[in-house]
Structure formats: C-alpha cells, structure tokens
C-alpha cells in the first residue's frame, strides 16, 4: 500500500484516516483482541457511538425478517443507540434504513474500501449513512470486496457494539460469524425467533438454544444491555 497516495486520496474525498492512538478511535473497538490499526471513515464517528448495537442477518431475508430488522433499528435509534451493520443486502440494509428513518445514527462497516461501496446498488444508502453517521472500513480506499475480507470485517461490526442482534440467519450465514466474534469479545448476543419451517431462521434458533437472549422488541434489547 502506498501510504502517501492513500492519505492524498482520502484528503481529496474528505475521508478521515483514524489510527488506533487517535482520540477519535472508538474506545469499545480498541478493547477487542485484534483492533484494526486504521479506520477510513466517511462521515463522523462520535463519542455517543460507544452506545451501539449491531443488527445483522441473511442477505436473503423474508419480508418478516426485513420488517423486524427495520422495526428494531428504529426503536433502538429512538432510544439513543447507534445502529451498526454491514451494508449488505437484506437484513443489514433494512437495519440501516430503520435507523435513518427514525432520525438516529447508524454506522456501516464495509469489507471493501469506502470509495468502492459494495454492493453497488447501496451507493446512495451509503451516502445517506455518511450524512447521519459513518461508513467505515479498515481496507484501502478503493479495495475490491474479496470473499475473505467479509469474516474479518465482521469482528469490527461486533467490536463497535455492546451487543449483536441476529435477525434471520441460516446455519452457514456470515451473521453467525459476527455472533461468534461477539461471544469472543465478551459482547451480548441476541436473536429474533422465526418460523420453525423457515430455513433462514435456523441459525437464530440455534443461537437461542446455545444461550443467546430471545428478543421480541427494542425494550427487550435495552433490558438485556442494562
């Protein structure tokens, strides 16, 4: 990586380069085992973002899953929490939109660079998030979204959050990787139950069987987080 070129590119696009020793670096993220050494930030990370909860789930969400993600995000955003997710199709996008619609803050964590938004149909959503929160990545600014970067990105989603809510996830969903990171980081894991015959609810049900808190409302989340 040409560091000088990255800094110049960031300056040209009004992107912040926040290193681990900076005061603006999120305190909760600094506490995890392997925090990113640098965050590229489109928008602004604020001290109030220390009170954040992640909402993640499948890209192939049902109408029920999208509705629950948006409803929970809106309720939690109105309660003053920042909503963190990964800007992916499905549950992630619904969570971001719920927070935005409620007038709250939301943070999108990308596996690609912040100047190469993935998926491309979420470019306008990313711009909205940057105005009302932040789009962040540890990857170089124009980094391509490669498969191996997504699980690595998920540790940042959980690392920025006090807890992770999983809304619809199959048994091999990347959302379960985020939940595992949360457990390893000492963060709360919560799950929304679904229909027993819905294959994208099986991951949530497995989490609940393994001890994750079953939640039905924003109040349940606030109670669990204390």
């Amino acid at each position: 990586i040409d560091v000088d070129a990255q800094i110049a590119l960031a300056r040209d696009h009004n992107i912040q380069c926040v290193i681990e020793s900076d005061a603006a670096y999120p305190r909760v993220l600094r506490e995890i085992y392997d925090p990113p050494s640098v965050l590229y930030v489109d928008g602004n990370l604020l001290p109030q973002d220390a009170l954040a909860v992640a909402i993640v789930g499948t890209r192939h969400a049902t109408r029920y899953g999208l509705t629950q993600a948006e409803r929970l995000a809106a309720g939690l955003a109105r309660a003053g929490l920042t909503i963190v997710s990964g800007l992916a199709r499905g549950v992630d996008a619904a969570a971001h939109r719920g927070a935005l619609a409620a007038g709250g803050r939301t943070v999108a964590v990308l596996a690609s660079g912040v100047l190469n938004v993935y998926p491309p149909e979420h470019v306008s959503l990313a711009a909205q998030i940057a105005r009302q929160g932040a789009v962040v990545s540890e990857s170089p600014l124009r980094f391509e979204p490669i498969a191996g970067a997504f699980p690595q990105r998920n540790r940042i989603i959980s690392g920025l959050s006090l807890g992770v809510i999983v809304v619809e996830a199959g048994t091999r969903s990347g959302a379960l990787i985020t939940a595992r990171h949360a457990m390893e980081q000492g963060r709360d894991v919560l799950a929304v139950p679904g229909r027993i015959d819905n294959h994208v609810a099986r991951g949530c049900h497995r989490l609940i069987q393994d001890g994750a808190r079953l939640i039905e409302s924003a109040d349940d989340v606030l109670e669990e987080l204390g």
Side-chain angles (χ1 to χ4, degrees):
I1 299 173
D2 185 332
V3 175
D4 290 336
Q6 287 293 306
I7 292 172
L9 186 60
R11 187 181 300 115
D12 290 344
H13 290 83
N14 199 28
I15 304 296
Q16 300 176 58
C17 301
V18 182
I19 61 173
E20 195 175 347
S21 59
D22 287 345
Y25 194 94
R27 175 185 54 80
V28 290
L29 185 60
R30 193 182 283 124
E31 294 170 355
I32 71 172
Y33 172 71
D34 52 350
S37 57
V38 61
L39 285 177
Y40 298 98
V41 182
D42 185 7
N44 289 288
L45 292 171
L46 302 179
Q48 69 203 63
D49 296 329
L51 291 176
V53 64
I55 299 179
V56 296
T58 180
R59 291 170 173 79
H60 308 290
T62 65
R63 175 53 53 189
Y64 165 83
L66 297 174
T67 300
Q68 299 312 312
E70 193 164 337
R71 179 179 66 89
L72 285 167
L76 292 166
R78 282 192 289 267
L81 274 71
T82 297
I83 304 302
V84 180
S85 199
L87 199 69
R89 302 178 181 99
V91 167
D92 289 21
H96 290 305
R97 291 189 176 109
L100 292 170
R105 287 185 56 78
T106 184
V107 174
V109 184
L110 306 186
S112 59
V114 297
L115 295 182
N116 187 16
V117 171
Y118 181 85
E121 65 265 29
H122 287 172
V123 168
S124 62
L125 177 58
Q128 287 180 269
I129 293 169
R131 289 193 295 270
Q132 207 162 308
V135 178
V136 306
S137 177
E138 67 176 332
S139 301
L141 293 169
R142 297 197 187 279
F143 189 74
E144 293 290 333
I146 59 175
F150 288 90
Q152 186 172 333
R153 173 277 306 266
N154 292 351
R155 86 190 192 287
I156 302 176
I157 294 176
S158 57
L160 285 168
S161 310
L162 300 176
V164 172
I165 302 169
V166 182
V167 181
E168 288 196 332
T171 55
R172 305 182 76 172
S173 171
L176 300 186
I177 297 175
T178 309
R180 187 174 72 243
H181 282 308
M183 294 174 191
E184 292 170 351
Q185 294 164 354
R187 310 295 160 85
D188 289 314
V189 178
L190 312 97
V192 177
R195 290 171 53 107
I196 60 173
D197 59 351
N198 178 8
H199 73 280
V200 294
R202 290 174 186 162
C204 294
H205 295 164
R206 182 172 295 176
L207 287 173
I208 293 168
Q209 289 171 336
D210 290 342
R213 168 74 183 267
L214 184 156
I215 60 162
E216 298 176 330
S217 66
D219 286 342
D220 290 341
V221 180
L222 295 173
E223 179 183 338
E224 181 68 15
L225 296 179

